Amino acid sequence: MYDIIGDIHGHADELIELLDRLGYELCDGTFRHPARTAIFVGDFVDRGPQISEAVRLVRAMHAAGTALAIMGNHEFNALAYHTPDPAPAPAHAGRHLRQHSDKNTHQHAETLRQVPEDELRDHLEWFRQLPLWLQLDGLRIVHACWDHRQMAVIEACLLSHGSVTTAFLCEATDGGSPLFQAIEDVLKGKEIRLPDGNFYLDKDGHERRAMRIKWYRSPASETFASYAFSSDDGLSNEPLPDSVVESVVPYPADADPVFFGHYWMRAERPERLAANVACVDFSVAKGGCLCAYRWDGERELSNDKFCTVAAKDGDQ
């Protein structure tokens, strides 16, 4: 069966320790298990101290067939950051699809510093080949949000462009395109605007006026504070507007179990979010832990099947 592993963000030592705890052994240049396959939910790069080592390890397992992997928002962002805009406005000659702003460059800085240019170029080509989600027998994997409507938009564009080509990235980074919003939802999580005058500071200290929502459950009778994925204090206790209640389709209780990363969860002990919903990102890059869930075909997930390794370094 499968071991679903959360966001690594360049923490290779923790990944090796976690694989060891899960029963994987280094053999013929990669980690293998006699009866199980690892699944990585994306976000291999940025933040951590061993980005090259982490990506090489994941790629070796992927190439050997001992692991599956999907794209995270950091892989998507890296592709856009390193792709020149093929048709920039005259005032923006040399611009890339993801702007080289101070904020974006800071987020990508450790990758730029640690990974040699030729190696990074090779990794980027591998990122292009990664699926944006997996539908397996009785199991679903996505980086941030399972939304079949937005996935249909992405599938249609992948079919039209052939793959994650430059043309696909151009459309996906065009803020006015349906593909842009689909990528935002699936890889970065559904968001709603906060009431006027409300904001909070995210993990990097940036002011946010929109919040990520608990898309897997019904928004009926929820407030902004209770429906936020983040536990940040100070969010409004106002009821959610009707537009949100009417637009969000919660993840069905009878659907296949879905696993995802992305949300920087913090807990002494990981727990499922619903009977068939689990996050496996527990903030290894912020002094938390690297997390896995050992799935053996069960329809109802169990808190006893999480496995973690504490971060070895401080905040990144």
Side-chain angles (χ1 to χ4, degrees):
M1 283 296 175
Y2 298 109
D3 298 310
I4 302 109
I5 298 175
D7 305 31
I8 301 164
H9 282 302
H11 286 72
D13 284 347
E14 290 88 339
L15 177 55
I16 291 170
E17 183 177 341
L18 181 61
L19 290 168
D20 179 66
R21 290 191 185 184
L22 294 170
Y24 292 75
E25 295 182 353
L26 188 59
C27 179
D28 296 329
T30 192
F31 284 88
R32 303 173 185 271
H33 193 286
R36 304 183 69 83
T37 301
I39 303 178
F40 296 102
V41 302
D43 278 10
F44 314 117
V45 297
D46 299 338
R47 305 189 186 281
Q50 301 166 300
I51 293 169
S52 283
E53 295 90 334
V55 179
R56 290 174 194 157
L57 192 160
V58 171
R59 288 189 64 178
M61 292 183 69
H62 186 261
T66 66
L68 303 173
I70 63 170
M71 186 187 297
N73 64 300
H74 280 256
E75 285 72 54
F76 176 84
N77 288 347
L79 285 168
Y81 186 94
H82 291 279
T83 301
D85 187 339
H92 298 293
R95 186 172 180 171
H96 289 70
L97 295 181
R98 181 169 172 84
Q99 294 182 38
H100 289 191
S101 64
D102 290 345
K103 173 179 174 292
N104 293 342
T105 299
H106 175 74
Q107 185 185 76
H108 196 44
E110 284 302 312
T111 301
L112 295 171
R113 184 180 71 82
Q114 295 178 36
V115 185
E117 185 175 341
D118 288 348
E119 180 182 336
L120 180 55
R121 189 178 303 112
D122 185 61
H123 291 330
L124 291 169
E125 289 307 307
W126 181 67
F127 295 164
R128 286 183 187 272
Q129 308 306 315
L130 292 173
L132 278 72
W133 61 84
L134 290 171
Q135 171 70 73
L136 304 172
D137 186 12
L139 178 66
R140 292 171 170 176
I141 309 291
V142 69
H143 186 67
C145 173
W146 192 276
D147 183 327
H148 64 91
R149 297 169 300 180
Q150 297 291 48
M151 289 170 165
V153 173
I154 296 172
E155 284 185 321
C157 291
L158 286 171
L159 183 63
S160 173
H161 293 293
S163 64
V164 182
T165 60
T166 295
F168 178 93
L169 290 171
C170 286
E171 187 173 349
T173 54
D174 176 357
S177 75
L179 179 59
F180 173 86
Q181 192 58 55
I183 291 289
E184 289 286 304
D185 285 357
V186 171
L187 292 189
K188 304 180 183 183
K190 285 185 176 295
E191 292 189 346
I192 60 171
R193 295 288 299 176
L194 292 169
D196 289 345
N198 283 252
F199 69 90
Y200 68 96
L201 300 179
D202 67 12
K203 62 185 178 299
D204 294 318
H206 299 125
E207 189 174 293
R208 299 285 188 178
R209 298 186 180 275
M211 69 179 206
R212 292 170 178 164
I213 63 172
K214 297 173 181 174
W215 51 268
Y216 55 89
R217 75 187 201 193
S218 171
S221 303
E222 298 274 6
T223 67
F224 284 91
S226 68
Y227 205 49
F229 232 116
S230 169
S231 60
D232 294 282
D233 294 330
L235 293 177
S236 172
N237 285 312
E238 294 180 34
L240 295 174
D242 291 342
S243 58
V244 173
V245 175
E246 294 167 0
S247 64
V248 176
V249 179
Y251 192 73
D254 60 351
D256 289 343
V258 60
F259 291 87
F260 49 89
H262 188 61
Y263 290 98
W264 297 85
M265 307 287 282
R266 299 302 292 262
E268 292 297 319
R269 178 172 178 155
E271 295 181 345
R272 69 187 191 182
L273 297 173
N276 61 341
V277 179
C279 181
V280 287
D281 177 15
F282 281 82
S283 306
V284 67
K286 286 288 183 181
C289 63
L290 186 61
C291 178
Y293 183 96
R294 310 212 78 181
W295 188 74
D296 293 293
E298 64 270 20
R299 299 286 295 178
E300 181 172 344
L301 307 180
S302 169
N303 292 335
D304 295 334
K305 302 191 76 172
F306 287 98
C307 180
T308 63
V309 167
K312 299 181 184 301
D313 57 355
D315 289 1
Q316 296 295 316

